[in-house]
Amino acid sequence: MLTSVVTGGAGFLGSHLCEALLGRGQRVICIDNLVVSTLENIDHLRDDAFTFLNHDVIEPIAIDEPVDVVYHLAALASPVDYLRMPLHSLKTGSYGTHHAVGLAKWKRARFVLASTSEVYGDPQVHPQPETYWGHVNPIGPRGVYDEAKRYAEALTMAYHSQQGVDSAIVRIFNTYGPRMRSYDGRAIPTFLRQALASKPLTVFGDGSQTRSFCHVDDLIRGIILLAESSEHLPVNLGNPDEKTLLELAETIIRLTGSTSEIVFEALPVDDPQVRQPDVTRAKQLLGWEPEVALEDGLRRTIASLRHEARVAS
Ligand code: NAD
């Protein structure tokens, strides 16, 4: 039986990854300090093959059994979180990545770093291939997230080239699906929360900035394929279907049948104008392509939110 460690495993993507790995018959050790998540996301994973460790990866990680893959997802990924805890963001990206990749080195395990499209910053190249080095403001408010990930990528490559760690880097573009936190400040959960409560949808700027949204099932499938490959250089995973934020808001109003209106608010500092992955490498190396269309994925997410609301009431 393969054993995987998932840091940040109680978070949105981490909990889906733990579930998918258990579904593949693996043993899963989930590490999370619950700084921004709760055990609710992994409550349903009651399985002898599943272990939860409440641990901050800023501190060394000790695991007393063989490990085959370390997936390092722990991070303050949402703007509301890293703006509130900037130092924790930098420490998780630096000390946390040292400890996670160090664990992989010690166990001779494959190491998969969850990086981000934010390493490209406000991109001057569109769509973004992995060869583009980015345009990031290190001292702006988002620098504590973007630079933490850029440092984590540099560290991962150094462990690979100097110490022979079998590493991989996935640059994740905006992903959505069930278990996103309604108040995490990201566009889809915010619009869904507002639309379902018949409140105005708050679009930043004039809504002409673009994003590309990937359904969580597609993303998790891609991450596992990457872990199973022998690739070491960064690989973009995301859905190239690009939409403006205004289009997204209108689609969510239509799909929820909401009566909400759209209101416009000031653009956040250093908010990227465009974002679209070039997924050619993922197609060539992994045979991976997104399969869930945005409207279909949104319908599934809305159904899951409505189900949760019924259970809670
Ligand atoms: P999330 O906030 O839902 O999950 C992150 C988890 O990490 C949380 O459970 C949190 O408690 C945990 N964590 C944070 N600091 C920790 C620490 N020091 N020690 C232990 N646990 C810690 O975020 P997510 O959306 O699931 O993102 C997962 C990973 O994917 C992150 O690395 C993020 O940067 C990356 N990513 C996500 C997206 C996306 O669209 N969701 C896009 C790009 C990159």
Side-chain angles (χ1 to χ4, degrees):
M1 185 190 263
L2 282 183
T3 297
S4 289
V5 167
V6 180
T7 77
F12 162 50
L13 297 181
S15 62
H16 284 276
L17 180 59
C18 289
E19 194 175 319
L21 295 170
L22 286 168
R24 295 167 75 89
Q26 296 195 17
R27 160 145 175 71
V28 176
I29 302 170
C30 165
I31 301 180
D32 204 298
N33 65 347
L34 305 177
V35 61
V36 295
S37 55
T38 65
L39 289 176
E40 222 174 285
N41 280 349
I42 50 170
D43 239 6
H44 61 296
L45 302 180
R46 292 178 194 280
D47 190 311
D48 288 345
F50 183 73
T51 301
F52 172 71
L53 298 180
N54 188 336
H55 179 77
D56 188 331
V57 295
I58 289 172
E59 303 299 330
I61 306 168
I63 294 201
D64 199 15
E65 62 182 287
V67 173
D68 301 287
V69 188
V70 176
Y71 294 90
H72 181 42
L73 275 67
L76 295 179
S78 299
V80 287
D81 298 327
Y82 63 72
L83 294 176
R84 187 166 55 89
M85 294 178 276
L87 289 175
H88 189 86
S89 173
L90 287 162
K91 286 180 187 168
T92 302
S94 53
Y95 302 126
T97 306
H98 268 287
H99 294 138
V101 71
L103 174 71
K105 181 189 159 199
W106 172 41
K107 299 289 181 183
R108 297 181 185 278
R110 175 108 163 120
F111 178 72
V112 181
L113 172 70
S115 185
T116 169
S117 56
E118 303 287 354
V119 298
Y120 300 121
D122 190 4
Q124 317 289 297
V125 172
H126 184 66
Q128 295 93 61
E130 290 86 344
T131 45
Y132 172 57
W133 292 350
H135 182 77
V136 172
N137 175 4
I139 56 166
R142 306 173 74 104
V144 297
Y145 180 64
D146 306 358
E147 298 294 9
K149 290 291 186 183
R150 289 171 69 92
Y151 176 85
E153 286 200 8
L155 186 69
T156 299
M157 286 314 287
Y159 265 94
H160 171 64
S161 54
Q162 195 183 318
Q163 312 227 323
V165 172
D166 178 14
S167 62
I169 297 173
V170 50
R171 291 189 180 149
I172 302 170
F173 283 65
N174 296 81
T175 301
Y176 69 97
R179 293 188 217 133
M180 294 193 85
R181 281 173 292 141
S182 334
Y183 285 90
D184 82 356
R186 295 189 253 194
I188 288 186
T190 305
F191 289 166
L192 285 174
R193 168 174 53 81
Q194 293 167 331
L196 291 171
S198 307
K199 297 267 168 56
L201 271 65
T202 45
V203 169
F204 295 139
D206 62 4
S208 63
Q209 68 276 31
T210 68
R211 294 292 182 271
S212 311
F213 297 100
C214 184
H215 189 264
V216 63
D217 290 353
D218 281 332
L219 185 90
I220 297 299
R221 183 169 47 84
I223 292 182
I224 294 175
L225 282 171
L226 178 62
E228 289 171 352
S229 78
S230 54
E231 183 57 30
H232 301 300
L233 293 173
V235 177
N236 286 340
L237 289 182
N239 193 324
D241 180 20
E242 191 179 17
K243 296 273 184 278
T244 68
L245 267 282
L246 190 55
E247 282 172 319
L248 175 71
E250 288 165 351
T251 307
I252 286 181
I253 289 176
R254 178 165 52 79
L255 295 180
T256 50
S258 174
T259 52
S260 297
E261 53 174 2
I262 293 176
V263 296
F264 296 91
E265 291 192 348
L267 262 184
V269 179
D270 296 334
D271 196 44
Q273 261 309 304
V274 288
R275 189 181 288 141
Q276 184 192 28
D278 178 337
V279 291
T280 310
R281 266 172 63 72
K283 275 185 204 165
Q284 287 170 347
L285 292 167
L286 314 174
W288 178 88
E289 286 193 78
E291 289 170 358
V292 183
L294 181 64
E295 289 209 8
D296 185 23
L298 285 174
R299 275 197 198 93
R300 289 196 219 168
T301 310
I302 293 163
S304 139
L305 283 172
R306 287 195 163 131
H307 173 75
E308 275 169 30
R310 272 198 303 276
V311 171
S313 65

